Amino acid sequence: MLKRTLIGLLRSHELTGDKAKDPLLKSHYYKLSREKAWEEVVSTLKKMQGYKVLHEVHSVGEIVLEKRTVTGRTMDITISVINVNPVTAAVDIYSASRGSFGDLGSNYRIILDIYRTLDKKLAQYKTTSI
């Protein structure tokens, strides 16, 4: 976590993906169709405390959230629900802080928080491979 705070001195964004070096930032896969995964992800995000859903674009599978920190900074979070094959969907997250300075690792922690919540809700569908 100290490493993330130091990296966060300079960087004010974080994203997940298949090629992420940090294993905690790898894409999460669920044995669900994209439609079902979309419904589950949206309903879960709407119930999360401290997050405000700004936009839902079902046709492209993106949800845009906003989170305000204790210090008054605003963070913009984009969650993508991607169809991998007919029975598997992937969830990726991009989080960025507004402002010019680094985020002290808060975007990293937000991504982990969202993934933790989604994994708890969708535990029976979680898979590690495509």
Side-chain angles (χ1 to χ4, degrees):
M1 204 47 84
L2 178 63
K3 177 184 173 189
R4 281 287 153 195
T5 303
L6 294 175
I7 290 171
L9 288 172
L10 303 172
R11 196 162 65 184
S12 62
H13 71 278
E14 198 67 65
L15 70 151
T16 65
D18 287 337
K19 297 179 181 177
K21 292 178 184 174
D22 186 333
L24 296 175
L25 294 178
K26 297 266 187 202
S27 299
H28 284 216
Y29 294 94
Y30 302 98
K31 287 253 185 238
L32 288 169
S33 67
R34 182 179 166 278
E35 295 298 316
K36 184 67 176 156
W38 171 264
E39 292 170 17
E40 294 289 341
V41 169
V42 169
S43 70
T44 302
L45 293 174
K46 285 183 176 179
K47 294 175 188 170
M48 288 181 71
Q49 294 292 324
Y51 296 89
K52 179 180 173 187
V53 176
L54 298 178
H55 300 290
E56 297 174 36
V57 186
H58 185 258
S59 59
V60 293
E62 285 191 350
I63 305 142
V64 179
L65 305 170
E66 180 182 86
K67 178 172 176 60
R68 296 203 182 271
T69 64
V70 183
T71 60
R73 282 190 90 163
T74 303
M75 306 175 101
D76 297 307
I77 306 151
T78 303
I79 299 174
S80 302
V81 180
I82 304 154
N83 193 31
V84 177
N85 61 45
V87 294
T88 307
V91 175
D92 278 318
I93 303 171
Y94 175 81
S95 179
S97 300
R98 294 182 196 166
S100 59
F101 296 109
D103 65 3
L104 300 176
S106 60
N107 285 303
Y108 178 78
R109 290 187 297 276
I110 282 177
I111 288 174
L112 297 183
D113 180 47
I114 293 170
Y115 268 158
R116 194 176 310 112
T117 303
L118 290 175
D119 286 348
K120 186 188 289 185
K121 170 81 171 162
L122 302 172
Q124 63 190 11
Y125 305 110
K126 181 127 171 68
T127 181
T128 54
S129 61
I130 298 173

